Amino acid sequence: MKQYQSGISLIAVAVIMGVLGGAAAFALISMRQERNLFAEGLNKVSAKAAQAAAPVVASVTPPAAPMRKCVINGKTIVSNTECGEKGKVIEIHDSRGIEAPKEPPKPPPAAMPGPKDRAIEQATR
């Protein structure tokens, strides 16, 4: 009876070495592009797993207390707490960001020169 060598086959070794060689080539290509494609892939996979595991919860924030402007000891203070009889509620508006500068108004077009003006211009040339 023949005894066979125990362990993994030569084909399995070839497949494993091919996978390792491919991973090494992929790593070298990502290094050349100054990116870590392995870390990016891991981040994407972990982000998808975190999204799937996280329950969807609607978060409701309670309305903030109104802002008040108070003068205490001669100093103007803005606060969201009650500050006495001299406190005044401030109305806050959300801004729309920075607006693009407006174009300066164009000067009115010069009036077409009349025949007298054209004659004077030709005479002075």
Side-chain angles (χ1 to χ4, degrees):
M1 180 186 258
K2 294 182 179 179
Q3 287 189 339
Y4 291 103
Q5 185 177 356
S6 64
I8 59 175
S9 71
L10 205 53
I11 295 173
V13 171
V15 169
I16 292 171
M17 288 297 122
V19 169
L20 286 176
F26 188 72
L28 289 173
I29 290 170
S30 69
M31 287 179 204
R32 183 176 182 189
Q33 295 175 353
E34 297 180 1
R35 292 176 63 185
N36 188 349
L37 297 175
F38 289 112
E40 289 177 14
L42 181 65
N43 288 340
K44 285 182 182 178
V45 169
S46 62
K48 286 181 183 176
Q51 284 179 349
V56 178
V57 178
S59 61
V60 178
T61 57
M67 297 299 288
R68 293 177 171 83
K69 181 179 177 182
C70 310
V71 178
I72 300 175
N73 296 333
K75 293 182 180 179
T76 303
I77 298 173
V78 177
S79 174
N80 63 346
T81 60
E82 190 66 41
C83 55
E85 302 158 2
K86 295 183 180 182
K88 180 168 104 175
V89 175
I90 300 173
E91 197 171 315
I92 298 175
H93 303 282
D94 289 334
S95 67
R96 291 186 175 90
I98 300 173
E99 292 182 14
K102 296 180 177 140
E103 292 182 22
K106 295 181 180 177
M112 295 293 290
K116 186 177 180 181
D117 294 330
R118 280 186 279 183
I120 292 172
E121 188 176 325
Q122 285 180 354
T124 57
R125 283 189 202 175

